[in-house]
Amino acid sequence: MREVAIVAFGQTDHRRRSDELSEVEMLMPVLHDVLGQTGLKTSDIDFTCSGSSDYLAGRAFSFTMALDGVGAWPPISESHVEMDGAWALYEAWVKLLTGDADTALVYAYGKSSPGELRDVLTRQLDPYYIAPLWPDSVSLAALQAQALIDAGDTDEKALAGVAARSRAAAEANPHAQLSGSVPAGDYLVHPLRTGDCPPIGDGAAAVILAAGDTARRLCERPAWIRGMDHRIEAHSLGVRDLTDSPSARLAAERAGAFERPVDTAELHAPFTSQEVVLRKALRLDDSVTINPSGGALAANPVMAAGLIRLGEAAARIHRGASDRALAHATSGPCLQQNLVAVLEGES
């Protein structure tokens, strides 16, 4: 199989509001950053792929505006996925594997601040039986957390420990929205307190992929994608065991995550209870460093947070802090869809 690597990663500082910036203005510094890291010009990019959501933007085909930040003239080879940028990276990875491109630019962005995010995310539920009841994203995560507590897999103290560890780690992340000592707070939806939930904010991220010797030329220590896969659970929450994630486990198996141990895992777990589910499904023990960036509990720009997990894992390989890392992204309620990638650095 053709070798493909992440050779550059950049992201915005994640903020509660960015009213003064359009999506293009938010993206431009990040795109310039990743191109500057590699010395490439936009004309050197063979394929461009983006991830975003029209529901967040509040208008149809909103991604076409973001192309102003990329430069669509002269004509470029471009694609878009209506979901987290991790899936845009998957599409670009496949494009490079087939030999149709040697380099790819992947970017994602999300502005959650203009609307009520909990209500917006309800639109992804079953439109006939569940969505009309308006169960918001926090309420559904609370159902999952309570199922874990009832099963004896965790308790509220352990969940608070996940939050504290993640935000303590985020103190070393200059882009984090929340870091340091964050109060557990009051119950938002029992048993989840405000500290168990991700911050709402705006942000963007971008990576550059390259194949073979091109990757070695552009980056001193490329983060090679040794495997990647994504799987999905049943749409109806009533037929799922919310204490487990078979789709994450299968994606990890197909990506080769269980062949050899990993030293780092960047998990897209917006709620503390979801880290409990993922650690079990992905067989991650205490020897693995979990979310050294702080994870989605430190910054959760919807539609970019999953891509950021892959970028953070790759960045640790670039600077020699990791040799073999697992990166995870999720989409939908209660870990409905999961993507897992295994990244490695050369000795």
Side-chain angles (χ1 to χ4, degrees):
M1 186 170 70
R2 197 179 194 209
E3 288 188 307
V4 177
I6 297 174
V7 296
F9 166 61
Q11 61 182 314
T12 59
D13 291 340
H14 305 295
R15 301 157 50 193
R16 178 61 183 88
R17 304 195 68 89
S18 58
D19 296 341
E20 76 284 5
L21 299 175
S22 69
E23 284 89 343
V24 175
E25 291 169 325
M26 188 167 61
L27 274 169
M28 287 293 287
V30 179
L31 299 177
H32 288 161
D33 180 19
V34 292
L35 289 169
Q37 290 178 42
T38 58
L40 295 174
K41 303 185 294 294
T42 53
S43 58
D44 297 323
I45 301 297
D46 298 327
F47 180 64
T48 301
C49 196
S50 61
S52 64
S53 172
D54 285 350
Y55 280 94
L56 287 180
R59 58 182 176 269
F61 298 102
S62 62
F63 73 94
T64 57
M65 289 186 60
L67 287 174
D68 289 342
V70 178
W73 184 264
I76 63 174
S77 176
E78 184 271 339
S79 185
H80 172 262
V81 297
E82 185 69 13
M83 60 192 308
D84 191 286
W87 278 264
L89 187 147
Y90 183 91
E91 180 177 340
W93 176 62
V94 172
K95 189 85 167 178
L96 268 65
L97 287 179
T98 63
D100 288 343
D102 288 325
T103 56
L105 170 65
V106 179
Y107 63 92
Y109 59 92
K111 293 189 70 169
S112 302
S113 59
E116 294 294 330
L117 182 61
R118 291 168 67 177
D119 290 341
V120 170
L121 293 179
T122 302
R123 300 297 87 201
Q124 65 190 340
L125 301 173
D126 179 283
Y128 299 105
Y129 298 104
I130 302 179
L133 302 175
W134 287 93
D136 63 79
S137 55
V138 178
S139 299
L140 294 174
L143 287 175
Q144 186 173 41
Q146 189 62 56
L148 287 163
I149 292 172
D150 292 344
D153 289 348
T154 191
D155 55 35
E156 290 189 39
K157 183 178 179 181
L159 295 181
V162 171
R165 189 206 72 239
S166 296
R167 288 164 181 149
E171 288 190 284
N173 181 356
H175 305 290
Q177 185 177 338
L178 290 181
S179 63
S181 179
V182 177
D186 297 328
Y187 287 112
L188 194 55
V189 181
H190 194 278
L192 295 179
R193 297 178 181 270
T194 54
D196 293 307
C197 304
I200 295 173
D202 304 342
V207 304
I208 289 180
L209 302 180
D213 290 340
T214 301
R216 295 183 177 90
R217 176 173 57 83
L218 296 175
C219 180
E220 184 174 345
R221 192 173 194 245
W224 298 102
I225 302 173
R226 297 307 188 194
M228 182 159 44
D229 193 63
H230 63 94
R231 301 285 161 160
I232 191 168
E233 309 281 355
H235 195 191
S236 175
L237 293 169
V239 300
R240 292 169 52 190
D241 176 5
L242 296 182
T243 68
D244 194 14
S245 181
S247 62
R249 185 180 300 108
L250 181 57
E253 180 183 338
R254 296 300 175 88
F258 302 144
E259 293 175 3
R260 290 193 294 111
V262 298
D263 53 48
T264 302
E266 279 284 343
L267 304 180
H268 187 187
F271 299 92
T272 54
S273 50
Q274 293 178 349
E275 181 177 309
V276 176
V277 176
L278 290 170
R279 289 187 72 139
K280 179 173 69 172
L282 300 175
R283 305 175 191 173
L284 300 173
D285 58 29
D286 292 339
S287 67
V288 181
T289 302
I290 306 292
N291 286 343
S293 67
L297 288 166
N300 188 44
V302 175
M303 299 300 152
L307 180 62
I308 291 170
R309 305 281 70 76
L310 283 105
E312 290 282 9
R316 283 181 63 83
I317 289 174
H318 292 163
R319 60 179 181 265
S322 173
D323 291 320
R324 180 174 163 88
L326 180 149
H328 162 268
T330 191
S331 181
C334 301
L335 303 171
Q336 182 184 9
Q337 186 168 358
N338 295 281
L339 178 149
V340 176
V342 176
L343 308 177
E344 283 187 353
E346 293 176 334
S347 299

Coordinates of all heavy atoms in Angstrom, one line a residue, residues 48-128:
T48 N -7.9 19.2 -2.5 CA -8.3 19.9 -1.4 C -9.7 19.3 -0.9 O -10.6 19.1 -1.7 CB -8.5 21.4 -1.7 OG1 -7.3 21.9 -2.1 CG2 -9.0 22.2 -0.5
C49 N -9.8 19.1 0.4 CA -11.1 18.6 0.9 C -11.4 19.2 2.3 O -10.5 19.4 3.1 CB -11.0 17.0 1.1 SG -12.6 16.2 1.3
S50 N -12.7 19.6 2.5 CA -13.1 20.3 3.7 C -14.2 19.6 4.4 O -14.9 18.8 3.8 CB -13.5 21.7 3.3 OG -14.6 21.7 2.4
G51 N -14.4 19.9 5.7 CA -15.5 19.4 6.5 C -16.1 20.5 7.2 O -15.4 21.4 7.8
S52 N -17.4 20.6 7.2 CA -18.2 21.6 7.9 C -19.7 21.2 7.9 O -20.0 20.2 7.4 CB -18.0 23.0 7.2 OG -18.6 23.0 5.9
S53 N -20.5 22.1 8.4 CA -22.0 21.8 8.5 C -22.8 23.0 8.1 O -22.6 24.1 8.8 CB -22.3 21.3 9.9 OG -23.7 21.2 10.0
D54 N -23.7 22.9 7.2 CA -24.6 23.9 6.9 C -25.6 24.3 8.0 O -26.1 25.4 8.1 CB -25.4 23.6 5.6 CG -24.6 23.7 4.3 OD1 -23.5 24.2 4.4 OD2 -25.1 23.2 3.3
Y55 N -25.8 23.3 8.9 CA -26.7 23.5 10.0 C -26.1 24.6 10.9 O -26.8 25.4 11.5 CB -27.0 22.2 10.8 CG -28.1 21.4 10.2 CD1 -27.7 20.4 9.3 CD2 -29.4 21.6 10.4 CE1 -28.7 19.6 8.7 CE2 -30.4 20.8 9.9 CZ -30.0 19.8 9.0 OH -31.0 19.0 8.4
L56 N -24.8 24.5 11.1 CA -24.1 25.5 12.0 C -24.1 26.8 11.3 O -24.3 27.9 12.0 CB -22.7 25.0 12.3 CG -22.5 23.9 13.3 CD1 -21.0 23.6 13.5 CD2 -23.1 24.2 14.6
A57 N -23.8 26.8 10.0 CA -23.7 28.1 9.3 C -25.0 28.8 9.1 O -25.1 30.0 8.9 CB -23.0 27.9 8.0
G58 N -26.1 28.0 9.0 CA -27.4 28.5 8.8 C -27.7 28.9 7.4 O -28.6 29.7 7.1
R59 N -27.0 28.3 6.4 CA -27.3 28.5 5.0 C -26.8 27.4 4.2 O -25.9 26.6 4.6 CB -26.6 29.8 4.5 CG -25.1 29.9 4.7 CD -24.5 31.2 4.3 NE -23.1 31.3 4.6 CZ -22.6 31.7 5.7 NH1 -23.4 32.2 6.6 NH2 -21.3 31.7 5.9
A60 N -27.4 27.1 3.0 CA -27.0 26.0 2.2 C -25.7 26.3 1.5 O -25.4 27.4 1.1 CB -28.1 25.8 1.2
F61 N -24.9 25.2 1.2 CA -23.7 25.3 0.5 C -22.7 26.3 1.1 O -22.0 27.1 0.3 CB -23.9 25.5 -1.0 CG -24.7 24.5 -1.7 CD1 -26.1 24.7 -1.9 CD2 -24.1 23.3 -2.0 CE1 -26.8 23.7 -2.5 CE2 -24.9 22.3 -2.6 CZ -26.2 22.5 -2.9
S62 N -22.7 26.4 2.4 CA -21.9 27.4 3.0 C -20.4 27.2 2.8 O -19.6 28.1 2.8 CB -22.1 27.4 4.6 OG -21.8 26.1 5.1
F63 N -20.0 25.9 2.5 CA -18.6 25.6 2.3 C -18.0 26.3 1.1 O -16.8 26.5 1.0 CB -18.4 24.1 2.2 CG -18.8 23.5 0.8 CD1 -17.9 23.4 -0.2 CD2 -20.1 23.1 0.7 CE1 -18.4 22.8 -1.4 CE2 -20.6 22.6 -0.5 CZ -19.7 22.4 -1.6
T64 N -18.9 26.7 0.1 CA -18.3 27.4 -1.1 C -17.7 28.8 -0.7 O -16.8 29.2 -1.4 CB -19.5 27.6 -2.1 OG1 -20.5 28.4 -1.5 CG2 -20.0 26.3 -2.6
M65 N -18.2 29.4 0.4 CA -17.6 30.7 0.8 C -16.2 30.4 1.3 O -15.3 31.3 1.1 CB -18.5 31.3 1.9 CG -19.8 31.9 1.5 SD -20.6 32.7 2.8 CE -19.4 34.0 3.2
A66 N -16.0 29.3 2.0 CA -14.7 29.0 2.6 C -13.6 28.8 1.5 O -12.4 29.0 1.8 CB -14.8 27.8 3.5
L67 N -14.1 28.5 0.3 CA -13.1 28.3 -0.8 C -12.4 29.6 -1.1 O -11.3 29.6 -1.7 CB -13.8 27.8 -2.1 CG -14.2 26.3 -2.0 CD1 -15.1 26.0 -3.2 CD2 -13.0 25.4 -1.9
D68 N -12.9 30.8 -0.7 CA -12.2 32.0 -0.9 C -10.9 32.0 -0.1 O -9.9 32.7 -0.5 CB -13.1 33.2 -0.4 CG -14.2 33.5 -1.3 OD1 -14.2 33.0 -2.5 OD2 -15.2 34.2 -0.9
G69 N -10.9 31.3 1.0 CA -9.6 31.2 1.7 C -8.6 30.3 1.1 O -7.4 30.4 1.4
V70 N -9.0 29.4 0.3 CA -8.1 28.4 -0.4 C -7.6 29.0 -1.7 O -6.4 28.8 -2.0 CB -8.8 27.1 -0.6 CG1 -7.9 26.1 -1.3 CG2 -9.3 26.5 0.7
G71 N -8.5 29.6 -2.4 CA -8.1 30.1 -3.7 C -8.6 29.1 -4.8 O -7.9 28.1 -5.0
A72 N -9.8 29.3 -5.3 CA -10.3 28.4 -6.3 C -10.0 28.7 -7.7 O -10.5 28.1 -8.6 CB -11.8 28.3 -6.1
W73 N -9.1 29.6 -7.9 CA -8.7 30.0 -9.3 C -7.2 30.2 -9.3 O -6.7 30.9 -8.5 CB -9.4 31.3 -9.8 CG -9.1 31.5 -11.2 CD1 -8.1 32.4 -11.7 CD2 -9.7 31.0 -12.4 NE1 -8.0 32.4 -13.0 CE2 -9.0 31.5 -13.5 CE3 -10.7 30.0 -12.6 CZ2 -9.3 31.1 -14.8 CZ3 -11.0 29.7 -13.9 CH2 -10.3 30.2 -15.0
P74 N -6.5 29.6 -10.2 CA -7.0 28.6 -11.2 C -7.7 27.4 -10.7 O -7.6 27.1 -9.5 CB -5.7 28.2 -11.9 CG -4.7 29.2 -11.5 CD -5.0 29.7 -10.2
P75 N -8.5 26.8 -11.5 CA -9.4 25.7 -11.0 C -8.6 24.6 -10.2 O -7.5 24.3 -10.6 CB -10.0 25.1 -12.2 CG -10.0 26.2 -13.2 CD -8.7 27.0 -12.9
I76 N -9.2 24.2 -9.1 CA -8.6 23.2 -8.2 C -9.4 21.9 -8.2 O -10.6 21.9 -8.5 CB -8.4 23.7 -6.8 CG1 -9.7 24.0 -6.1 CG2 -7.5 25.0 -6.8 CD1 -9.6 24.4 -4.7
S77 N -8.8 20.8 -7.8 CA -9.5 19.6 -7.5 C -9.9 19.6 -6.1 O -9.1 19.6 -5.1 CB -8.6 18.4 -7.7 OG -9.2 17.2 -7.4
E78 N -11.3 19.7 -5.8 CA -11.8 20.0 -4.5 C -13.0 19.1 -4.2 O -13.8 18.7 -5.1 CB -12.2 21.4 -4.5 CG -12.7 22.0 -3.1 CD -14.2 21.8 -2.9 OE1 -14.9 21.7 -3.9 OE2 -14.6 21.8 -1.8
S79 N -13.2 18.8 -2.9 CA -14.3 18.0 -2.4 C -14.7 18.5 -1.0 O -13.9 19.3 -0.4 CB -14.0 16.5 -2.4 OG -15.2 15.8 -2.0
H80 N -15.9 18.1 -0.6 CA -16.4 18.5 0.7 C -17.2 17.4 1.4 O -17.9 16.7 0.7 CB -17.2 19.8 0.6 CG -17.9 20.2 1.8 ND1 -19.3 19.9 2.1 CD2 -17.5 20.9 2.9 CE1 -19.6 20.4 3.2 NE2 -18.6 21.0 3.8
V81 N -17.1 17.3 2.7 CA -17.9 16.4 3.4 C -18.8 17.2 4.4 O -18.3 18.1 5.1 CB -17.2 15.2 4.1 CG1 -16.4 14.4 3.1 CG2 -16.2 15.8 5.2
E82 N -20.0 16.8 4.6 CA -20.9 17.5 5.5 C -20.8 16.9 6.8 O -21.8 16.3 7.4 CB -22.4 17.5 4.9 CG -23.4 18.3 5.7 CD -23.2 19.8 5.6 OE1 -22.5 20.3 4.8 OE2 -23.9 20.5 6.4
M83 N -19.6 16.9 7.4 CA -19.4 16.4 8.8 C -18.0 16.8 9.2 O -17.4 17.6 8.6 CB -19.6 14.9 8.8 CG -18.7 14.0 7.9 SD -19.3 12.3 7.8 CE -19.5 11.8 9.5
D84 N -17.6 16.2 10.3 CA -16.3 16.6 10.9 C -15.1 16.4 9.8 O -15.2 15.5 9.0 CB -16.0 15.7 12.1 CG -14.8 16.2 12.9 OD1 -13.7 16.0 12.5 OD2 -15.0 16.8 14.0
G85 N -14.2 17.3 9.9 CA -13.0 17.2 9.0 C -12.2 16.0 9.1 O -11.4 15.7 8.1
A86 N -12.4 15.1 10.1 CA -11.7 13.8 10.1 C -12.1 13.0 9.0 O -11.3 12.2 8.4 CB -11.9 13.1 11.5
W87 N -13.4 13.1 8.6 CA -13.8 12.3 7.4 C -13.4 12.9 6.1 O -13.2 12.2 5.1 CB -15.4 12.2 7.5 CG -15.8 11.1 8.4 CD1 -16.1 9.8 8.0 CD2 -15.9 11.1 9.8 NE1 -16.4 9.0 9.2 CE2 -16.3 9.8 10.3 CE3 -15.7 12.1 10.8 CZ2 -16.5 9.5 11.6 CZ3 -15.9 11.8 12.1 CH2 -16.3 10.5 12.5
A88 N -13.1 14.2 6.1 CA -12.5 14.8 4.9 C -11.1 14.3 4.8 O -10.6 14.1 3.7 CB -12.5 16.4 5.1
L89 N -10.4 14.2 5.9 CA -9.0 13.6 5.9 C -9.1 12.2 5.3 O -8.2 11.8 4.5 CB -8.4 13.6 7.2 CG -6.9 13.2 7.3 CD1 -6.2 14.0 8.4 CD2 -6.7 11.7 7.6
Y90 N -10.1 11.4 5.7 CA -10.2 10.0 5.2 C -10.3 10.0 3.7 O -9.7 9.2 3.0 CB -11.4 9.4 5.9 CG -11.6 7.9 5.5 CD1 -11.0 6.9 6.2 CD2 -12.3 7.6 4.3 CE1 -11.1 5.6 5.8 CE2 -12.5 6.2 4.0 CZ -11.9 5.2 4.7 OH -12.0 3.9 4.3
E91 N -11.2 10.9 3.2 CA -11.4 11.0 1.7 C -10.1 11.4 1.0 O -9.7 10.8 0.0 CB -12.5 12.0 1.3 CG -12.7 12.1 -0.1 CD -13.8 13.1 -0.5 OE1 -14.7 13.4 0.3 OE2 -13.8 13.5 -1.7
A92 N -9.3 12.3 1.6 CA -8.1 12.8 1.0 C -7.0 11.6 1.0 O -6.3 11.4 0.1 CB -7.5 14.0 1.7
W93 N -7.0 10.9 2.1 CA -6.1 9.7 2.3 C -6.4 8.7 1.2 O -5.4 8.2 0.6 CB -6.3 9.1 3.7 CG -5.5 7.9 4.0 CD1 -4.2 7.8 4.1 CD2 -6.1 6.6 4.3 NE1 -3.8 6.5 4.4 CE2 -5.0 5.7 4.6 CE3 -7.4 6.1 4.5 CZ2 -5.1 4.4 4.9 CZ3 -7.5 4.8 4.8 CH2 -6.4 3.9 5.1
V94 N -7.6 8.4 0.9 CA -8.0 7.5 -0.1 C -7.5 8.0 -1.5 O -7.0 7.2 -2.3 CB -9.5 7.2 -0.1 CG1 -9.9 6.4 -1.3 CG2 -9.9 6.4 1.2
K95 N -7.7 9.3 -1.7 CA -7.3 9.9 -2.9 C -5.8 9.7 -3.2 O -5.3 9.4 -4.3 CB -7.6 11.4 -2.9 CG -7.4 12.1 -4.2 CD -8.6 12.0 -5.1 CE -8.6 13.0 -6.3 NZ -9.8 12.8 -7.2
L96 N -5.0 9.9 -2.1 CA -3.5 9.7 -2.2 C -3.2 8.2 -2.4 O -2.2 7.9 -3.1 CB -2.8 10.3 -1.0 CG -2.4 11.8 -1.2 CD1 -3.6 12.7 -1.4 CD2 -1.5 12.2 0.0
L97 N -3.9 7.4 -1.7 CA -3.6 5.9 -1.8 C -3.8 5.4 -3.3 O -3.1 4.5 -3.7 CB -4.5 5.1 -0.9 CG -4.3 5.2 0.6 CD1 -5.3 4.3 1.3 CD2 -2.8 4.7 0.9
T98 N -4.8 6.0 -4.0 CA -5.0 5.6 -5.3 C -4.0 6.1 -6.3 O -4.0 5.7 -7.5 CB -6.4 6.0 -5.8 OG1 -6.5 7.4 -5.8 CG2 -7.5 5.5 -4.9
G99 N -3.2 7.0 -5.9 CA -2.2 7.6 -6.8 C -2.7 8.8 -7.6 O -1.9 9.3 -8.4
D100 N -3.9 9.2 -7.3 CA -4.4 10.4 -8.1 C -3.9 11.7 -7.6 O -4.1 12.7 -8.2 CB -6.0 10.4 -7.9 CG -6.7 9.3 -8.7 OD1 -6.0 8.7 -9.6 OD2 -7.8 9.0 -8.4
A101 N -3.2 11.7 -6.4 CA -2.6 12.9 -5.9 C -1.4 12.6 -5.1 O -1.3 11.5 -4.5 CB -3.6 13.7 -5.1
D102 N -0.5 13.5 -5.0 CA 0.7 13.4 -4.1 C 0.6 14.2 -2.8 O 1.3 13.9 -1.8 CB 2.0 13.7 -4.8 CG 2.4 12.6 -5.9 OD1 2.1 11.4 -5.6 OD2 2.9 13.0 -6.9
T103 N -0.2 15.3 -2.9 CA -0.4 16.2 -1.8 C -1.8 16.5 -1.6 O -2.6 16.5 -2.6 CB 0.4 17.5 -1.9 OG1 0.1 18.1 -3.2 CG2 1.9 17.2 -1.9
A104 N -2.3 16.8 -0.4 CA -3.7 17.2 -0.2 C -3.7 18.1 1.0 O -3.0 18.0 2.0 CB -4.5 15.9 0.1
L105 N -4.6 19.1 0.9 CA -4.9 20.0 2.0 C -6.3 19.7 2.5 O -7.3 19.6 1.7 CB -4.9 21.5 1.4 CG -5.4 22.6 2.4 CD1 -4.5 22.7 3.6 CD2 -5.5 23.9 1.7
V106 N -6.4 19.5 3.8 CA -7.6 19.2 4.5 C -7.9 20.2 5.5 O -7.0 20.5 6.3 CB -7.6 17.8 5.1 CG1 -8.9 17.5 5.8 CG2 -7.3 16.7 4.1
Y107 N -9.1 20.8 5.5 CA -9.4 21.8 6.6 C -10.8 21.6 7.0 O -11.7 21.0 6.3 CB -9.1 23.2 6.1 CG -10.0 23.6 4.9 CD1 -11.2 24.3 5.1 CD2 -9.6 23.4 3.6 CE1 -12.0 24.7 4.1 CE2 -10.4 23.8 2.5 CZ -11.6 24.5 2.8 OH -12.4 24.9 1.7
A108 N -11.1 22.1 8.2 CA -12.4 22.1 8.8 C -12.6 23.3 9.7 O -11.7 23.8 10.3 CB -12.6 20.8 9.6
Y109 N -13.9 23.6 9.8 CA -14.2 24.8 10.7 C -15.6 24.7 11.2 O -16.5 24.0 10.6 CB -14.1 26.1 9.9 CG -15.0 26.2 8.7 CD1 -16.2 26.8 8.8 CD2 -14.6 25.6 7.4 CE1 -17.1 26.8 7.7 CE2 -15.4 25.7 6.4 CZ -16.7 26.2 6.5 OH -17.5 26.3 5.4
G110 N -15.9 25.4 12.3 CA -17.2 25.4 12.9 C -17.4 26.6 13.8 O -16.5 26.9 14.6
K111 N -18.5 27.3 13.6 CA -18.8 28.4 14.5 C -20.1 28.0 15.2 O -21.2 28.1 14.6 CB -19.0 29.7 13.6 CG -17.7 30.2 13.0 CD -17.9 31.6 12.4 CE -18.1 32.7 13.5 NZ -18.0 34.0 13.0
S112 N -20.0 27.6 16.4 CA -21.2 27.2 17.2 C -21.8 28.3 17.9 O -22.9 28.2 18.4 CB -20.7 26.1 18.2 OG -20.1 25.0 17.5
S113 N -21.1 29.4 18.0 CA -21.6 30.5 18.9 C -22.9 31.2 18.4 O -23.7 31.7 19.2 CB -20.5 31.6 19.1 OG -20.1 32.1 17.8
P114 N -23.2 31.3 17.1 CA -24.3 32.1 16.7 C -25.7 31.5 17.1 O -26.7 32.3 17.2 CB -24.2 32.1 15.1 CG -22.8 31.9 14.8 CD -22.4 30.9 15.9
G115 N -25.8 30.2 17.3 CA -27.1 29.6 17.6 C -27.1 28.8 18.8 O -26.1 28.8 19.6
E116 N -28.1 28.0 19.1 CA -28.2 27.1 20.2 C -27.7 25.7 19.8 O -28.5 25.0 19.1 CB -29.7 27.1 20.7 CG -30.2 28.4 21.3 CD -29.4 28.7 22.6 OE1 -29.0 27.8 23.3 OE2 -29.3 29.9 22.9
L117 N -26.5 25.4 20.1 CA -25.9 24.2 19.6 C -26.6 23.0 20.0 O -26.8 22.0 19.2 CB -24.4 24.1 20.1 CG -23.6 22.9 19.6 CD1 -23.5 22.9 18.1 CD2 -22.2 22.9 20.2
R118 N -27.1 22.9 21.3 CA -27.8 21.7 21.7 C -29.1 21.5 20.9 O -29.4 20.3 20.6 CB -28.2 21.9 23.2 CG -27.0 21.9 24.1 CD -27.3 22.3 25.5 NE -28.2 21.4 26.2 CZ -28.6 21.5 27.5 NH1 -28.1 22.6 28.2 NH2 -29.4 20.6 28.0
D119 N -29.8 22.5 20.4 CA -30.9 22.4 19.6 C -30.6 22.0 18.2 O -31.2 21.2 17.5 CB -31.8 23.7 19.6 CG -32.4 23.9 20.9 OD1 -32.6 23.0 21.7 OD2 -32.8 25.1 21.2
V120 N -29.5 22.6 17.7 CA -29.0 22.3 16.3 C -28.7 20.8 16.1 O -29.1 20.2 15.2 CB -27.8 23.2 15.9 CG1 -27.2 22.7 14.6 CG2 -28.3 24.6 15.8
L121 N -28.0 20.3 17.1 CA -27.6 18.9 17.0 C -28.7 17.9 17.1 O -28.6 16.7 16.7 CB -26.5 18.6 18.1 CG -25.2 19.3 18.0 CD1 -24.3 18.9 19.1 CD2 -24.5 18.9 16.7
T122 N -29.9 18.3 17.6 CA -31.1 17.5 17.6 C -31.5 17.1 16.2 O -32.1 16.0 16.0 CB -32.2 18.2 18.4 OG1 -31.8 18.5 19.7 CG2 -33.4 17.3 18.5
R123 N -31.2 17.9 15.2 CA -31.6 17.7 13.9 C -30.9 16.5 13.2 O -31.3 16.0 12.2 CB -31.3 18.9 13.0 CG -32.1 20.2 13.4 CD -33.6 20.0 13.4 NE -34.1 19.5 14.6 CZ -35.3 18.9 14.6 NH1 -36.0 18.8 13.6 NH2 -35.8 18.4 15.8
Q124 N -29.9 15.9 13.9 CA -29.3 14.7 13.3 C -30.0 13.4 13.8 O -29.6 12.3 13.4 CB -27.8 14.7 13.7 CG -27.6 14.5 15.2 CD -26.1 14.8 15.6 OE1 -25.2 14.6 14.7 NE2 -25.8 15.1 16.8
L125 N -31.0 13.5 14.6 CA -31.7 12.3 15.2 C -32.8 11.8 14.2 O -33.1 12.5 13.2 CB -32.3 12.7 16.5 CG -31.3 13.1 17.6 CD1 -32.1 13.6 18.8 CD2 -30.4 12.1 18.0
D126 N -33.3 10.6 14.5 CA -34.3 10.1 13.7 C -35.5 11.1 13.6 O -36.1 11.5 14.5 CB -34.9 8.8 14.4 CG -36.0 8.1 13.6 OD1 -37.1 8.7 13.7 OD2 -35.8 7.1 12.9
P127 N -35.8 11.4 12.3 CA -36.8 12.6 12.1 C -38.2 12.2 12.5 O -39.1 13.1 12.6 CB -36.6 12.9 10.6 CG -36.2 11.6 10.0 CD -35.3 10.9 11.0
Y128 N -38.6 10.9 12.6 CA -39.9 10.6 12.8 C -40.3 10.3 14.3 O -41.3 10.7 14.8 CB -40.3 9.3 12.0 CG -40.1 9.5 10.5 CD1 -39.0 9.0 9.8 CD2 -41.0 10.3 9.8 CE1 -38.9 9.2 8.5 CE2 -40.9 10.5 8.5 CZ -39.8 10.0 7.8 OH -39.6 10.2 6.5

